[in-house]
């Protein structure tokens, strides 16, 4: 069941490149920001709407508009953003492929179209990367929406400390957790609507592993923009 759902997700990632626009509320220890994002085949643009629940001042609004204009006129910067997005997608695919093989699975419950499965680390699994090592040290649940065979929820927590180089190069603490929610935001189009990552610790040379972030995306609509200029025109009308 898990392998089949993963195969569906991987195939969708390859074939469904529908651009969307949506509100994106992102909270980290460094910021609490509400954005509006418009995706296009040429790249994505976003406009900052609020900072810590407050509308931007005229000066901050002007600075954000200027930064967006500078980004649009800088092909190298846009290329780097697209490369970063591609890298993130590749990492997500690698993690998805590990799900059927890194864990021991059991069915927890079935309610209507939803099947909830429990997972725990498989002692026989040999993680091929640092990220996989963290992933394989987690236990949790996955919720599969059976009609379309899509992953609706995945949540997990570290069952033990994860040490790097016997702890010399870092340690992630037991109890760190993550949760990802996905929903059908348009017919047969699924998007991540919530991401919650709370992993404490540190790892030298692997700063991206530890994280504290809550992100909620809402108000999805298929984006009509095919160029960055069209995306910017849409953002200029968003309040």
């Amino acid at each position: 069941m898990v392998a089949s759902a993963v195969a569906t997700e991987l195939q969708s990632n390859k074939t469904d490149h529908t651009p969307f626009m949506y509100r994106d509320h992102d909270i980290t220890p460094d910021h609490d920001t509400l954005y509006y994002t418009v995706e296009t085949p040429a790249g994505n643009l976003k406009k900052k709407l609020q900072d810590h629940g407050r509308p931007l001042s005229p000066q901050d609004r002007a600075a954000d508009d200027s930064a967006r204009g500078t980004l649009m006129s800088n092909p190298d910067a846009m290329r780097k953003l697209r490369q970063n997005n591609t890298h993130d997608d590749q990492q997500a695919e690698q993690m998805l492929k590990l799900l059927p093989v890194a864990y021991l699975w059991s069915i927890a419950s079935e309610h209507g179209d939803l099947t909830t499965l429990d997972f725990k680390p498989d002692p026989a699994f040999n993680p091929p990367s640092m990220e996989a090592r963290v992933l394989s040290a987690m236990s949790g649940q996955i919720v599969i929406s059976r009609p379309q065979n899509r992953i609706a929820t995945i949540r997990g927590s570290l069952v033990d400390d994860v040490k790097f180089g016997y702890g010399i190069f870092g340690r992630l603490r037991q109890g760190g957790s993550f949760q990802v929610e996905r929903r059908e935001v348009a017919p047969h189009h699924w998007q991540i609507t919530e991401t919650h990552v709370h992993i404490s610790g540190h790892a030298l040379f692997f700063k991206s592993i530890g994280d504290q972030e809550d992100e909620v995306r809402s108000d999805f609509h298929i984006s009509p923009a095919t160029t960055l200029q069209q995306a910017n025109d849409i953002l200029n009308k968003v309040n």
Side-chain angles (χ1 to χ4, degrees):
M1 189 183 302
V2 175
S4 178
V6 167
T8 300
E9 297 298 347
L10 293 175
Q11 181 62 26
S12 176
N13 288 344
K14 291 180 181 179
T15 59
D16 185 3
H17 304 294
T18 304
F20 281 87
M21 49 190 190
Y22 49 85
R23 292 181 180 270
D24 185 356
H25 188 188
D26 190 45
I27 302 175
T28 73
D30 298 324
H31 67 256
D32 178 345
T33 311
L34 176 65
Y35 300 97
Y36 197 89
T37 298
V38 178
E39 300 177 343
T40 82
N44 306 334
L45 286 181
K46 62 183 181 181
K47 176 180 181 178
K48 186 183 294 187
L49 302 179
Q50 295 181 3
D51 184 8
H52 289 82
R54 298 184 297 272
L56 300 191
S57 67
Q59 294 83 358
D60 289 340
R61 165 63 53 228
D64 184 65
D65 291 344
S66 176
R68 193 166 61 252
T70 299
L71 178 62
M72 290 175 58
S73 62
N74 188 332
D76 290 337
M78 287 301 305
R79 189 180 304 111
K80 184 176 181 179
L81 280 178
R82 289 194 295 269
Q83 289 173 345
N84 289 340
N85 289 337
T86 299
H87 177 70
D88 290 345
D89 290 343
Q90 290 172 343
Q91 283 194 317
E93 285 194 5
Q94 291 170 3
M95 296 299 102
L96 275 174
K97 291 176 181 178
L98 292 176
L99 292 181
V101 298
Y103 301 110
L104 302 176
W105 293 88
S106 60
I107 294 178
S109 64
E110 295 184 275
H111 298 287
D113 294 333
L114 301 177
T115 298
T116 301
L117 300 102
D118 290 333
F119 63 86
K120 60 182 180 180
D122 184 347
F125 176 67
N126 184 24
S129 66
M130 290 295 180
E131 292 85 357
R133 187 174 173 187
V134 176
L135 186 72
S136 65
M138 290 192 166
S139 64
Q141 290 185 325
I142 276 184
V143 180
I144 295 177
S145 178
R146 297 303 300 277
Q148 296 184 43
N149 205 29
R150 304 301 295 263
I151 297 175
T153 301
I154 178 169
R155 63 177 75 94
S157 60
L158 285 169
V159 297
D160 293 300
D161 285 3
V162 178
K163 299 179 182 179
F164 301 96
Y166 303 100
I168 297 173
F169 296 111
R171 174 183 303 192
L172 300 181
R173 297 185 180 88
Q174 177 184 4
S177 66
F178 78 96
Q179 178 171 337
V180 176
E181 298 289 341
R182 304 174 70 255
R183 296 293 181 266
E184 187 179 20
V185 299
H188 304 289
H189 295 290
W190 286 66
Q191 292 282 319
I192 293 175
T193 55
E194 294 186 39
T195 304
H196 306 280
V197 181
H198 295 277
I199 298 178
S200 299
H202 68 281
L204 295 178
F205 314 121
F206 306 104
K207 294 181 180 179
S208 63
I209 292 180
D211 209 350
Q212 303 288 330
E213 184 172 15
D214 294 280
E215 183 178 14
V216 177
R217 297 176 177 181
S218 62
D219 194 22
F220 281 84
H221 300 280
I222 293 178
S223 171
T226 59
T227 67
L228 294 176
Q229 184 58 55
Q230 290 175 352
N232 195 49
D233 291 343
I234 293 172
L235 291 175
N236 286 334
K237 299 176 183 178
V238 175
N239 297 317

